[in-house]
Every structure is written in structure tokens, then in C-alpha cells.
Amino acid sequence: MQIKNQNTDFETRSLDTVCINESQLEHKWYHNLKYLVIGLLFGIVFIKAEIISWYRIQEMFRFQSFHMYGVIGSAVVVGIISVFLIKKFNIKTIYGEKIEFHDKTFNKGQIYGGLIFGLGWAITGACPGPLFAQIGTGATVMIVTLFFAIVGTWVYGYFRDKLPH
């Protein structure tokens, strides 16, 4: 019996589109207002920390200032500590649901995606997080960036099966 090399890429890709930790709880519509409040507070922090500033972002990409690297590095350290504590103490969500972490495999598509993302970030001075805060501060030209971020997401979804993963 000859065993052919089966393409399991589809199974792998179908799993990376599923939110495995998705909550099964049903809530009323007003339950989501807390996310609006947190989003507004997060945007205010972005503004006060100057991480939505196009000039700060350009300083980062030109290696002229440590400011953005300090912010990003701090976020990475907080993330590492948080994941460590969640795993060590088996911390659950505020609704008592288990938090699961799944191993990820590295692939070359992450390099290409990171390069494209970084190039867009350097050119426009915006990544998805600060983009909405920039628009909220009156930098309406960022609506163009938002539009093309949406278009880019759609193009990726359309050509996803043909791209390296």
C-alpha cells in the first residue's frame, strides 16, 4: 500500500480562522457598552502617550527615538507576564470560562505579512490600533488609510488559498 503525501494545509488553515476560546455565553446588547468605554479609554491613553503621533512613528522607523520601542517593549513584557500568570494559576475569565493557549507553528507567510504590515505602518504612520484614535483626533486623512486597510483585508481573504502559509 502506497501512502501519498496528503495536503493537510487546508486543515491547518481552517483552524487558524476559528476563535477556539470564543465564549459560548449569550449577553444582552447593552453588555457590549463596556467595550465601548474601554475602547474610548484606550484611545485616550494612546493620545496621551503620543503613540498615535505620525512624528513619533516616523522617529521609531528612523531609529531616532526610543519612545515607541519603550511602549511596544513594555506591552510585550506585560503580555509575557500575563500569559505566565494565567498559565501558572489557571486563571479563568471573569465569567469563569477556562483560558486555553494553543501552540503555533512558524511559517514563511508570517515573514511576508510582517514586512507588508511594517511597510504600510511606516508609510502611513498608522497601524490598526491607533488608526481609529487618529481619526478621532481629527486626522481625517486617516480615513483613506482605514479604507485601504479594509481593502487589504478583503484582498487577503480573496487570495488566501493561493498565498504561502
Side-chain angles (χ1 to χ4, degrees):
M1 174 185 268
Q2 183 181 0
I3 299 175
K4 293 181 181 179
N5 289 340
Q6 290 183 333
N7 183 2
T8 59
D9 193 38
F10 174 75
E11 288 82 17
T12 302
R13 280 198 242 162
S14 65
L15 289 177
D16 69 2
T17 60
V18 176
C19 183
I20 296 172
N21 288 333
E22 186 174 353
S23 175
Q24 302 300 319
L25 299 176
E26 296 282 332
H27 298 287
K28 303 261 188 218
W29 68 270
Y30 55 81
H31 186 274
N32 292 326
L33 290 177
K34 66 183 174 193
Y35 301 113
L36 176 65
V37 171
I38 294 296
L40 288 171
L41 292 174
F42 200 54
I44 291 168
V45 169
F46 275 9
I47 293 165
K48 292 296 185 183
E50 296 182 357
I51 60 174
I52 66 162
S53 167
W54 184 87
Y55 299 103
R56 286 287 189 186
I57 294 167
Q58 289 304 305
E59 285 176 346
M60 175 184 69
F61 282 108
R62 293 178 181 162
F63 301 105
Q64 295 173 334
S65 174
F66 180 75
H67 181 83
M68 291 296 289
Y69 293 110
V71 170
I72 293 168
S74 298
V76 169
V77 170
V78 168
I80 290 170
I81 293 169
S82 299
V83 169
F84 171 77
L85 292 173
I86 289 169
K87 287 181 175 181
K88 181 166 178 66
F89 297 110
N90 197 24
I91 296 173
K92 298 184 181 336
T93 68
I94 59 173
Y95 300 109
E97 296 174 306
K98 181 174 173 37
I99 300 173
E100 297 179 26
F101 294 94
H102 302 276
D103 293 335
K104 307 283 190 252
T105 56
F106 177 81
N107 62 60
K108 62 185 174 188
Q110 294 165 337
I111 299 293
Y112 301 137
L115 289 172
I116 292 169
F117 181 86
L119 181 64
W121 191 11
I123 291 171
T124 64
C127 72
L131 184 60
F132 294 100
Q134 288 172 321
I135 293 169
T137 61
T140 54
V141 72
M142 287 301 166
I143 293 172
V144 175
T145 305
L146 175 62
F147 173 75
F148 282 104
I150 293 168
V151 168
T153 303
W154 180 85
V155 168
Y156 170 75
Y158 186 80
F159 291 106
R160 185 170 198 270
D161 294 336
K162 298 168 186 68
L163 296 172
H165 286 91

